[in-house]
Amino acid sequence: IGSTYKVDASYLSPNVNMAARLEAATKQFGTPILLSGDFFNILSPKVRARCRAIDKVTVKGSTQPMVLATYDTDDENLVLDFEDPIYSMDPIQFSDSTQEYSDEFNEHPDIVQISAADELFLQRFGQAYEAYISGNWPAAQEILKTCEKARKTVKGNVIVDGPTQTLLAVMAEHKFVAPATWQGFRELTEK
């Protein structure tokens, strides 16, 4: 699409469609960010360990299943005071992102401030996810019930986990028994 003076390939790119579908699906999963399986797989092992696969789906217009993943955040702990004079400065002058960290997830103040999933939760959810994908839905249900309210804000408030609720709802539609045709993924039907 375009002319001699302007070419805009974004209208034709399947990546644009996929990004739009991922953004729309954040509401369905109750999470502020979704990562495609392709992106999730190229993360460093250290970063990937802080994220979690939450479902495997096909999207409209594709028959290829893809993993959906997320990074859990606690927005309640993020405090921004836009009246603070620091926000009128050049971001490079006050950003902690220009500093070198040996472990960003444990040292960078912004990341530490919004992190909302500990290793035990990620491990437990990972076990449930594997049971779900493999079709052992009774085991997935049992583990997910322990995950549903296991995440807490820095202030100690319970975070109801959207991905856990989504998987429980999907399995509940089938009375927690994987359909005979289950191949480890489902069609993502909502936009």
Side-chain angles (χ1 to χ4, degrees):
I1 296 176
S3 68
T4 308
Y5 304 104
K6 180 180 177 188
V7 176
D8 189 351
S10 66
Y11 295 110
L12 304 175
S13 173
N15 297 325
V16 171
N17 288 334
M18 186 57 65
R21 292 190 196 292
L22 287 174
E23 192 281 327
T26 60
K27 295 161 195 67
Q28 188 175 348
F29 287 93
T31 186
I33 185 169
L34 281 177
L35 313 172
S36 70
D38 289 338
F39 183 77
F40 179 70
N41 289 332
I42 63 170
L43 295 173
S44 71
K46 189 174 168 182
V47 174
R48 195 176 321 117
R50 297 294 184 125
C51 300
R52 61 180 166 137
I54 60 171
D55 207 346
K56 190 171 185 179
V57 299
T58 58
V59 296
K60 185 178 178 182
S62 175
T63 58
Q64 184 67 34
M66 68 180 266
V67 169
L68 298 179
T70 193
Y71 174 74
D72 296 298
T73 61
D74 171 11
D75 299 340
E76 178 182 301
N77 199 41
L78 185 61
V79 178
L80 298 174
D81 177 9
F82 291 109
E83 300 300 319
D84 189 325
I86 200 167
Y87 289 103
S88 64
M89 296 170 59
D90 178 4
I92 299 299
Q93 292 177 324
F94 68 87
S95 174
D96 293 316
S97 298
T98 59
Q99 296 180 20
E100 289 289 325
Y101 297 98
S102 59
D103 184 354
E104 294 88 356
F105 285 99
N106 289 318
E107 297 172 10
H108 192 293
D110 294 338
I111 295 173
V112 170
Q113 187 179 31
I114 65 166
S115 293
D118 61 25
E119 283 184 48
L120 179 61
F121 173 81
L122 292 173
Q123 180 183 27
R124 206 176 319 154
F125 187 90
Q127 292 167 342
Y129 174 78
E130 290 303 322
Y132 164 75
I133 294 298
S134 69
N136 187 353
W137 287 10
Q141 177 190 19
E142 185 178 323
I143 300 167
L144 285 171
K145 283 292 187 186
T146 69
C147 294
E148 199 167 17
K149 296 182 181 176
R151 290 176 48 219
K152 303 225 186 298
T153 67
V154 173
K155 297 174 185 173
N157 299 325
V158 171
I159 299 172
V160 178
D161 189 57
T164 296
Q165 290 187 314
T166 299
L167 291 186
L168 286 170
V170 166
M171 293 185 295
E173 290 175 9
H174 300 277
K175 298 183 177 21
F176 296 97
V177 176
T181 58
W182 180 251
Q183 296 178 18
F185 62 92
R186 67 187 180 97
E187 183 180 355
L188 190 63
T189 54
E190 294 181 40
K191 282 190 177 184

